[in-house]
Amino acid sequence: MRQVKLVLLSWLLGCFFITAQNKQILYDFTEIPQALMVNPGMSTDFQWYAGIPVLSGISFQAGSSGLTVNDLFADDGVDFNVKVRELAIYGMSTRDELSGTYQVELLNGGFRGRNRDNFYSFGIYNEGDAIGYWFKDYAILAFEGNANQLGRKFDLEHLKTRGEMLNVFHFGLNKRVDGALTIGGRAKIYSSAFNFSSTKNKGYFVTNEGQNNLLANTLDADLELRSSGLNEIEDALDNDTSLLPGILTRRLFFGGDLGFGIDLGFTYKLNKQTVITGSLLDLGFVYSSTDVKNYTIKGNATVEGIEVILPDAFSNSNADFWQDLVDEVDALVPHGTNDKSYIYFRPTKLYGSLRYNWGEPSNPSMDCDCNYIVSKRKDYTKYANGVGGQLYMINRPRGPQAALTAFYLRRFGRALALKTTYTVDKFSWSNIGLGLNLQAGPLNFYVMADNLLAYRNLADSHYSSFQLGLNIISWGKK
Amino acid sequence: MKNRFLFPCIILLALYSCIERQNFDQYEDLEIIPTVEASILYIESPERLLNEIPGQDFYSQDFNFDGFSVDAFSDRVLDGFVFYEIENTTSKEMEATVEFLDEGGNTLDTQYFHIDPAPTPLVQLQVAYGIGTGRSIEIIKNTSSIKVSVRNLGDNSSVSNLPDPKIIFRSSGQFRLRLK
C-alpha cells in the first residue's frame, strides 16, 4: 500500500514538473548542438562541440490539459469544493492529462570524423517522464459514492498512468550522404532507476437492484500496476534516506534495469531553399527485472450482502456467514502481488518539418572576432530567414498525441539567432514560444521558453517549458 | 548592439511574467464525503418450513457482521440509513426483531416488525443514524453482529393460496463517509 502511495507521489511530482516532451523550438535549430538530440540527421557544420557538463542541456516541461493551478487555487472567494467538483471532477475528461518530462545532460560532445561527411556525437543524460490521465470515474466514485446511481457503471479503465526515471547513454552518427541528403542514427542504452505503469486496466463497478436483496454490487476487474525499482527506494525513504543517492546512482549507471533504443533522422533539401526533415526518437524498450513488484486484481463478483436461504442454512447455522462472504469475494476477485519481470516501451516521438529559407546568406565571419566559426561545408548555406511548419507526435497510453507548429527563424550573423514558434496541441491553442541562440566566440548559449502568453499569470498556464544550455563549439580553423 | 536589443527583451519578459496570488490553504477546505450503499442481509424461508417447526419461535440467528466495525468504515462514517423490507406471501401472521449487537453481545439497537398474513403489502422501514436522527451513529460503528428473530404468530398448518409462499427479509445500508 505504501508503495502505491509512492507511485502516486511520484506521479504527482512528475505531473507538477510536467509535460509533453515536445521540443519544437529546439528542433532543427541547427546552430545548437542539442538539436542533434531531436534529429540525429540534422544538417550540421560543427567541427566539434563540447557541452559544459550538467549545463549543456537542461529542459523542464510541465502541463495540464484539463485545468490549471489558478483554476483551483486562485484566491477568488469561490468555495474550493465547488471548484473541485465543477472544474475537476466533472469538468475534465478521461483524455485530459497531467504529464511531464525533464532532461538534464550530464555529458554531451561531438566531433567530425576523418571522413568529413561524418559527425559523431555522444553523451549521457538523465530523464524523468510521467503521465497520468484523469481517472474520472474513480474520482466520481470517491467524491459521490455509488448511492442513488443504480445501473451506472464506473469504468475502471480510467486509470492510466506511467512514469520512469532513467539515464540514457548514447552514441550517434550524422552522415552527409550528398549535397541534398543528411541522415543520422543514434544508439541508446537505457539504465532505469525506477518505473511504474498501469495502462491496460479493464472492468467496471456497478450497483443494481438485487435479484434477491435490495441491492447488488458488481465488480468486474482486470487491473494491474507494474513497478520496478520502487521497493528499495521505499525502504530507504522509510528507514534511512541517506541511502537514496547511492541507490539511484547505482541504478542510473548500469546497476538497474537496462534497455536499448535508437533514434533515426534525416534532412533533405528539396531545392536550394526548401528543406524537409524528420526524426523518430526513442524507439526502444527497457527490460524490468530488478526489484519488481506488480499488483493485480482480476475477477468478477456480485454481492447482495449475507444471504440465508432456509432450510438449507439450518445445516450450517454455526457458520460465519460474513467471513464466508468475504472469502467468496476474495476467491472470485483474487488480488495480490508478484515479481514477474516485464518489458516496457519508451514513449516514442516523431518529428517532421518543412522549411523555406530566404534572405542573404549569413556571412560566417560577421560580428565575430574569432577564428572558430568558419564552415568548410561548401553546400552548407545558412540563410538569414527560415519559415515553415513542424509536426510532432508521441505515443501515449491513450494513443498518439500530436502537435502542429509554425515557426520563423531569424539569424543575425553568426552571433545571434532567434526562433519563434506558434504551436497548437491539446494543452493550448495560443502557445507562442521563443528561442534564442547566442554565439560568443566558441561559447554557445541558448535559452528557450514556451507558451509566453501564459507568463502573464503562470499559475493559469496549461503548459510551459524551459530549456537552456551551454556549449563550446568549433567550426574548424580558418 | 545586440546586447542593447537582447537584455531589454529579457528584462521585459521577466517583468511581464507574474503569478497571480494563489491560496493553497484552500486545500484544507476540501471535503470528500461520498455516500455509499450496499445490501446487508437477506433471509428467506418457505411457508412449508413455518409449518414444520412447531411453536412460535420459528427462527433466531446471530450473524457476525464485521462490515460496520472495520476501521475503513467505522473511522469514517458520519451518518446514514438502514433500509428494511419484509415480504410475506404466507398465510402466517408474524413478528420479526432485528437487533444490532456489539462485540460483547450487548444490544445496541432494536427494530420490531409486525407482519400481517398474505395478502399484505410490503413492510418497509427506513431507520436513520447520526446527528439529529435520535439514533447515534455510534450504534453503527460498534455493531459487530446482527441478531434476527422471527416468531410465527399463526398456525402450523395453513397454506397460502399464493404461488410459492415465502417470508422474505431484505435489508441494505446507505452511509456517508468522510474520506477527507
Side-chain angles (χ1 to χ4, degrees):
Chain A
M1 196 61 198
R2 282 183 305 178
Q3 197 167 33
V4 173
K5 287 180 182 174
L6 192 64
V7 169
L8 288 173
L9 181 65
S10 305
W11 178 74
L12 288 171
L13 285 173
C15 294
F16 182 75
F17 282 116
I18 305 203
T19 274
Q21 298 196 334
N22 188 2
K23 293 184 174 178
Q24 74 274 33
I25 310 173
L26 180 64
Y27 185 79
D28 212 30
F29 205 145
T30 55
E31 279 78 1
I32 303 172
Q34 277 68 28
L36 276 168
M37 300 303 295
V38 282
N39 182 6
M42 180 183 82
S43 182
T44 179
D45 61 346
F46 307 129
Q47 178 61 29
W48 59 265
Y49 74 86
I52 306 298
V54 186
L55 296 176
S56 60
I58 299 172
S59 65
F60 292 96
Q61 297 172 303
S64 158
S65 63
L67 76 174
T68 66
V69 172
N70 190 68
D71 288 338
L72 289 180
F73 293 101
D75 202 2
D76 51 12
V78 179
D79 186 328
F80 188 66
N81 290 286
V82 171
K83 288 191 279 188
V84 169
R85 190 172 302 275
E86 292 182 355
L87 300 176
I89 305 298
Y90 291 105
M92 289 165 61
S93 81
T94 56
R95 297 204 66 83
D96 283 320
E97 71 177 63
L98 293 166
S99 61
T101 302
Y102 76 86
Q103 277 187 8
V104 178
E105 283 188 355
L106 306 178
L107 184 68
N108 193 2
F111 59 92
R112 194 160 293 283
R114 289 180 187 278
N115 180 344
R116 309 292 298 167
D117 291 330
N118 294 343
F119 187 81
Y120 303 94
S121 60
F122 58 91
I124 308 168
Y125 65 86
N126 177 259
E127 177 178 318
D129 173 55
I131 182 169
Y133 289 92
W134 179 237
F135 38 91
K136 189 181 182 84
D137 276 11
Y138 290 81
I140 291 173
L141 191 56
F143 272 78
E144 305 287 357
N146 68 324
N148 305 318
Q149 304 206 54
L150 290 180
R152 174 174 186 161
K153 284 188 174 180
F154 292 93
D155 192 345
L156 304 183
E157 188 263 351
H158 287 186
L159 175 62
K160 273 190 192 295
T161 183
R162 64 174 298 280
E164 62 184 326
M165 177 195 279
L166 42 68
N167 263 4
V168 182
F169 301 80
H170 58 89
F171 184 85
L173 169 62
N174 176 278
K175 182 175 181 60
R176 190 185 71 122
V177 177
D178 55 35
L181 178 65
T182 301
I183 59 173
R186 183 180 308 283
K188 290 178 167 177
I189 295 174
Y190 305 115
S191 184
S192 169
F194 68 83
N195 77 81
F196 61 87
S197 66
S198 184
T199 58
K200 294 177 181 174
N201 300 311
K202 289 185 292 187
Y204 60 86
F205 172 74
V206 65
T207 302
N208 287 314
E209 285 187 10
Q211 284 192 330
N212 290 330
N213 211 339
L214 297 173
L215 299 168
N217 302 116
T218 298
L219 177 66
D220 184 342
D222 186 357
L223 308 178
E224 184 179 36
L225 170 65
R226 303 188 303 185
S227 74
S228 171
L230 291 176
N231 280 314
E232 204 177 353
I233 292 172
E234 178 194 358
D235 288 344
L237 287 173
D238 285 348
N239 302 317
D240 186 358
T241 52
S242 67
L243 296 173
L244 200 55
I247 293 169
L248 291 176
T249 303
R250 174 168 50 82
R251 294 233 182 104
L252 291 170
F253 288 90
F254 302 109
D257 298 329
L258 299 179
F260 179 75
I262 56 169
D263 297 346
L264 300 169
F266 75 94
T267 297
Y268 183 70
K269 292 180 181 175
L270 296 173
N271 56 49
K272 271 191 171 181
Q273 290 175 271
T274 309
V275 179
I276 186 171
T277 74
S279 68
L280 189 64
L281 308 179
D282 281 322
L283 193 60
F285 66 91
V286 174
Y287 179 63
S288 292
S289 60
T290 54
D291 199 18
V292 170
K293 194 167 188 180
N294 305 320
Y295 300 83
T296 60
I297 303 175
K298 186 173 185 177
N300 180 307
T302 297
V303 175
E304 296 189 25
I306 294 172
E307 289 192 288
V308 180
I309 311 292
L310 299 174
D312 298 347
F314 280 140
S315 61
N316 55 348
S317 59
N318 292 323
D320 185 340
F321 291 95
W322 170 259
Q323 192 57 50
D324 290 347
L325 177 66
V326 171
D327 293 344
E328 185 185 357
V329 173
D330 275 346
L332 290 170
V333 190
H335 53 89
T337 61
N338 66 66
D339 58 0
K340 289 180 187 169
S341 301
Y342 60 90
I343 286 174
Y344 75 90
F345 294 93
R346 301 234 52 223
T348 302
K349 279 84 73 178
L350 175 75
Y351 284 93
S353 79
L354 180 66
R355 187 178 74 237
Y356 175 74
N357 301 308
W358 81 95
E360 288 294 314
S362 301
N363 180 345
S365 59
M366 189 173 84
D367 280 358
C368 183
D369 302 324
C370 63
N371 295 322
Y372 297 93
I373 56 172
V374 177
S375 172
K376 294 185 176 178
R377 297 270 299 275
K378 302 296 184 194
D379 60 307
Y380 193 85
T381 304
K382 285 186 175 175
Y383 290 86
N385 303 282
V387 67
Q390 293 173 191
L391 168 70
Y392 167 79
M393 295 183 79
I394 181 170
N395 72 324
R396 285 303 201 185
R398 285 201 185 279
Q401 282 176 21
L404 278 173
T405 298
F407 68 87
Y408 171 66
L409 177 71
R410 172 70 184 175
R411 295 185 175 94
F412 301 91
R414 272 286 196 197
L416 179 66
L418 295 171
K419 182 179 179 182
T420 183
T421 58
Y422 170 71
T423 301
V424 175
D425 60 15
K426 71 184 293 185
F427 296 98
S428 171
W429 284 46
S430 57
N431 180 350
I432 293 174
L434 183 64
L436 177 150
N437 182 67
L438 199 59
Q439 190 70 43
L443 197 63
N444 167 262
F445 172 72
Y446 69 90
V447 60
M448 297 166 180
D450 215 350
N451 206 14
L452 297 177
L453 296 179
Y455 276 58
R456 284 172 297 187
N457 181 11
L458 274 174
D460 200 26
S461 172
H462 284 281
Y463 177 89
S464 71
S465 75
F466 188 77
Q467 297 171 69
L468 61 85
L470 206 53
N471 301 286
I472 295 170
I473 302 177
S474 169
W475 285 266
K477 298 283 185 182
K478 256 181 185 174
Chain B
M1 179 331 190
K2 289 179 185 86
N3 286 347
R4 286 202 300 272
F5 168 75
L6 180 61
F7 290 118
C9 286
I10 292 173
I11 290 168
L12 275 175
L13 183 61
L15 291 174
Y16 172 69
S17 64
C18 63
I19 299 177
E20 278 184 16
R21 184 182 169 190
Q22 305 293 303
N23 179 5
F24 294 105
D25 292 340
Q26 292 178 86
Y27 176 74
E28 299 303 319
D29 300 333
L30 180 64
E31 291 186 328
I32 303 177
I33 306 176
T35 305
V36 299
E37 63 179 6
S39 289
I40 297 174
L41 181 61
Y42 173 88
I43 305 172
E44 73 166 47
S45 172
E47 185 170 41
R48 171 178 56 81
L49 202 61
L50 285 159
N51 284 334
E52 288 175 2
I53 298 176
Q56 289 194 322
D57 294 330
F58 165 64
Y59 181 73
S60 182
Q61 180 75 45
D62 190 345
F63 296 98
N64 173 39
F65 191 82
D66 295 334
F68 291 155
S69 56
V70 292
D71 292 346
F73 182 87
S74 63
D75 289 350
R76 294 176 170 83
V77 65
L78 298 175
D79 50 39
F81 301 91
V82 175
F83 301 96
Y84 301 96
E85 182 177 285
I86 298 175
E87 180 180 355
N88 183 20
T89 55
T90 74
S91 60
K92 311 292 190 291
E93 179 185 0
M94 283 175 274
E95 65 178 25
T97 308
V98 178
E99 296 170 83
F100 286 177
L101 310 177
D102 66 13
E103 206 159 341
N106 304 304
T107 300
L108 301 173
D109 194 22
T110 304
Q111 300 303 326
Y112 170 81
F113 302 89
H114 181 267
I115 309 144
D116 290 327
T120 182
L122 288 171
V123 176
Q124 293 177 313
L125 180 66
Q126 173 180 305
V127 181
Y129 296 87
I131 296 170
T133 65
R135 281 185 169 82
S136 169
I137 194 63
E138 296 302 316
I139 293 171
I140 296 296
K141 289 181 179 181
N142 292 313
T143 294
S144 175
S145 61
I146 300 172
K147 184 176 182 180
V148 178
S149 304
V150 180
R151 298 184 72 215
N152 179 3
L153 303 181
D155 56 32
N156 292 109
S157 58
S158 62
V159 176
S160 169
N161 55 10
L162 293 174
D164 193 20
K166 287 178 181 173
I167 173 75
I168 297 174
F169 172 87
R170 302 184 179 96
S171 60
S172 69
Q174 185 181 95
F175 295 95
R176 293 197 310 145
L177 308 178
R178 179 181 287 280
L179 302 185
K180 182 186 179 309

